[in-house]
Amino acid sequence: AQSVTQLGSHVSVSEGALVLLRCNYSSSVPPYLFWYVQYPNQGLQLLLKYTSAATLVKGINGFEAEFKKSETSFHLTKPSAHMSDAAEYFCAVSDDSGGSNYKLTFGKGTLLTVNP
Amino acid sequence: NAGVMQNPRHLVRRRGQEARLRCSPMKGHSHVYWYRQLPEEGLKFMVYLQKENIIDESGMPKERFSAEFPKEGPSILRIQQVVRGDSAAYFCASSPPPTDTQYFGPGTRLTVL
């Protein structure tokens, strides 16, 4: 079975500092990987996705993530945090095997706090 | 283009009652997915539906839970005889082809007293 591990349920950074949210996955086949963001009382919004093209993926709001197969990682970064980035972030993987690539497996989420 | 709509946003039920959660997909989307998020957990896949068809219900509990997506109207997730362990956030997502990105609604927070 697939699994996604997000290291750190809560990350706190200062405004202007680097944001690094970690995600490791287990998958027996090359996966599709996603980062979603959830603002309070809102649905999950797609930040970016990796679908076996370029390993460095750029998303919305200045975020990017790098797929590293050797490390089975897909960490999310942003060079300079903004107060509006405070939210919960979810990493997810879908398995392309067996035609069930619609079935997303999510990590438990990382709550990002940005301090002024 | 309106996003995925879910209602109600919050639902309180007593043990033994029925809960009905509704999901209207984005315009033009004919594929709907339901996920459940238990406290302190990530979202877990429950079921995948197309219009009038259940494609994959491998994540649905075997009893008390059912889902439908009729030809007309929203998708419904129905939980009969709710128990406290059903308290969770239930998210609906939709997509055009199933290989495309899933767009999520705001969720329904179910509390069972």
Side-chain angles (χ1 to χ4, degrees):
Chain A
Q2 297 225 66
S3 66
V4 175
T5 302
Q6 291 184 240
L7 292 175
S9 60
H10 189 188
V11 170
S12 183
V13 301
S14 298
E15 192 173 18
L18 171 71
V19 176
L20 171 60
L21 304 181
R22 299 177 187 274
C23 173
N24 289 88
Y25 67 91
S26 67
S27 175
S28 58
V29 296
Y32 291 178
L33 292 157
F34 306 82
W35 275 99
Y36 283 87
V37 60
Q38 184 180 27
Y39 298 102
N41 297 315
Q42 295 187 28
L44 280 73
Q45 179 183 2
L46 181 69
L47 272 179
L48 50 81
K49 64 179 179 181
Y50 166 77
T51 56
S52 73
T55 57
L56 183 62
V57 182
K58 293 188 183 299
I60 61 171
N61 301 339
F63 284 92
E64 63 182 35
E66 185 172 8
F67 172 65
K68 292 187 176 179
K69 185 177 179 180
S70 61
E71 299 178 6
T72 60
S73 70
F74 191 57
H75 302 330
L76 181 71
T77 61
K78 181 174 180 178
S80 177
H82 192 272
M83 296 296 289
S84 61
D85 295 326
E88 188 152 24
Y89 292 79
F90 292 93
C91 181
V93 61
S94 70
D95 189 347
D96 198 30
S97 66
S100 62
N101 56 357
Y102 51 81
K103 195 181 296 185
L104 298 181
T105 299
F106 283 83
K108 293 185 179 182
T110 297
L111 182 64
L112 176 65
T113 302
V114 181
N115 303 308
Chain B
N1 190 6
V4 178
M5 308 290 286
Q6 289 189 250
N7 67 81
R9 296 289 306 276
H10 299 274
L11 181 61
V12 178
R13 285 288 178 266
R14 296 190 180 280
R15 282 178 295 170
Q17 291 184 320
E18 179 179 287
R20 281 182 179 244
L21 288 62
R22 294 175 183 77
C23 169
S24 297
M26 288 179 69
K27 187 176 181 180
H29 289 189
S30 57
H31 302 263
V32 165
Y33 317 82
W34 286 92
Y35 290 80
R36 178 167 66 173
Q37 184 182 27
L38 294 169
E40 308 299 321
E41 297 288 329
L43 282 73
K44 297 282 197 294
F45 170 82
M46 299 180 75
V47 62
Y48 162 37
L49 310 106
Q50 295 178 19
K51 286 283 188 181
E52 300 184 281
N53 284 304
I54 297 174
I55 307 302
D56 182 349
E57 56 182 349
S58 59
M60 290 276 272
K62 297 290 185 242
E63 298 177 345
R64 303 187 295 106
F65 284 71
S66 62
E68 63 176 10
F69 189 16
K71 187 176 180 181
E72 301 291 337
S75 175
I76 306 288
L77 180 67
R78 181 183 179 202
I79 311 172
Q80 295 178 290
Q81 300 173 1
V82 296
V83 300
R84 288 210 175 122
D86 297 332
S87 295
Y90 292 83
F91 289 91
C92 169
S94 72
S95 74
T99 55
D100 208 340
T101 301
Q102 294 180 26
Y103 296 84
F104 283 81
T108 294
R109 271 105 182 135
L110 172 66
T111 300
V112 179
L113 301 177

